[in-house]
Amino acid sequence: MRPAAKRSLLLGFLTALVLEAVVGALVVASGVIDLSATGAPRAPDRLLAFASTSAIAHHAKGGANPRAGDPAAIEAGLRRYKAVCSACHGAPGAPPQKFAAAMHPAPPDLASAAVQSFSDGMLYEAIARGVASTGMPAFGKTQSPGDIWGIVAFVRQLRTLTPEQQAELARAGGQERNQEQAGGPAPPVAGPGGAHVYQVSISGFQFKPRMLEVHAGDVVEWKNADFTAHTATADDRGFDTGDIQAGASARVVLKQRGRFPYFCRYHVAMKGVVVVE
């Protein structure tokens, strides 16, 4: 092929690439691509699933789980799975919480053949570093490597859970977790300047109670009993606790009257309401 012909072919190829990029950018900018959390999986979801699995495999640690088969590690892994995993993923005999059905992409069944085909290192990578744009947090920020290996060891047991283990998971999630919490909020305690301090517990990826009534000037304290960070962020951004790490708490003084829905910025399906009278 002559040099001039080669240059023409290359120029045409580059021009086509630029045009495709421009058209693609215009389509994305137009908003016509539906990225809502409703409907069946679409092409972007399949692309994300492929990309995330490839990235997990690429970055995964080599070798086997150092805590595989350790009864103490599996028992500890069950407790952590119950606290931070079962709300979204569920387990045999313990369905996930109702809000998980509205997540998109849907949290995978960790007992499925597809997930169980992951190497131990891939499971560790997904748990420790999370998966972007899926709602899967990076538990490596709040859990030690040994704790995460314990979760991996427990995940390997999901297909062979004992009746006792299934019952334990169901008590924290599944059927019982989907029921509304009985009773009202805990009585407030005295705060500075005659204000009252009301407490909201964060556990099982829920705000408890979900609705709280206080008076202007009162204090609301969110206490995080989960194994991962959460926030309490008003829909109108009127208040934001910032990150509440596992085992920590954060307070907000509510001075403005009104009804304030709020959510967790990391787990947007977690919602609550504070009514200030």
Side-chain angles (χ1 to χ4, degrees):
M1 182 180 293
R2 294 179 180 178
K6 288 183 179 180
R7 285 194 298 271
S8 297
L9 181 61
L10 179 60
L11 180 61
F13 178 72
L14 292 176
T15 301
L17 286 180
V18 171
L19 287 174
E20 287 183 3
V22 170
V23 171
L26 290 174
V27 170
V28 172
S30 72
V32 298
I33 298 178
D34 184 6
L35 295 179
S36 66
T38 59
R42 299 172 288 266
D45 302 311
R46 292 189 287 272
L47 178 60
L48 175 62
F50 175 78
S52 61
T53 301
S54 299
I56 289 169
H58 176 76
H59 293 283
K61 294 176 178 290
N65 182 355
R67 306 197 69 183
D70 179 350
I74 293 171
E75 178 61 28
L78 183 153
R79 293 195 300 272
R80 290 185 172 84
Y81 186 96
K82 178 175 64 174
V84 301
C85 304
S86 62
C88 293
H89 296 282
Q97 286 190 27
K98 290 180 179 178
F99 75 76
M103 295 180 70
H104 190 111
D109 176 4
L110 301 188
S112 67
V115 174
Q116 290 294 321
S117 69
F118 279 25
S119 67
D120 288 346
M122 290 176 68
L123 291 176
Y124 182 97
E125 171 70 16
I127 296 169
R129 299 184 64 211
V131 183
S133 302
T134 66
M136 175 62 187
F139 288 109
K141 294 183 176 181
T142 56
Q143 307 292 305
S144 71
D147 292 340
I148 294 174
W149 281 124
I151 296 174
V152 173
F154 175 72
V155 167
R156 291 300 192 201
Q157 307 297 312
L158 283 174
R159 289 185 164 188
T160 58
L161 293 179
T162 65
E164 292 76 17
Q165 289 173 322
Q166 290 189 19
E168 177 68 18
L169 289 171
R171 278 193 292 272
Q175 303 92 328
E176 294 184 19
R177 186 173 54 226
N178 287 334
Q179 298 173 1
E180 293 294 328
Q181 299 295 316
V189 298
H196 293 96
V197 179
Y198 291 82
Q199 290 188 346
V200 176
S201 173
I202 307 176
S203 63
F205 287 68
Q206 290 186 16
F207 296 112
K208 302 175 184 179
R210 290 187 179 90
M211 178 174 286
L212 183 66
E213 295 183 356
V214 303
H215 292 88
D218 284 342
V219 177
V220 179
E221 180 181 49
W222 285 268
K223 303 187 73 172
N224 186 3
D226 276 338
F227 283 91
T228 191
H230 294 293
T231 76
T233 305
D235 288 4
D236 64 0
R237 300 307 193 270
F239 64 83
D240 188 347
T241 61
D243 289 5
I244 311 174
Q245 299 297 333
S249 61
R251 291 185 173 189
V252 171
V253 180
L254 297 174
K255 300 179 180 180
Q256 182 179 348
R257 290 179 171 83
R259 186 178 188 275
F260 302 97
Y262 66 92
F263 66 104
C264 171
R265 285 189 280 108
Y266 296 122
H267 313 97
V268 295
M270 294 174 55
K271 297 181 184 296
V273 177
V274 177
V275 178
V276 185
E277 299 175 341

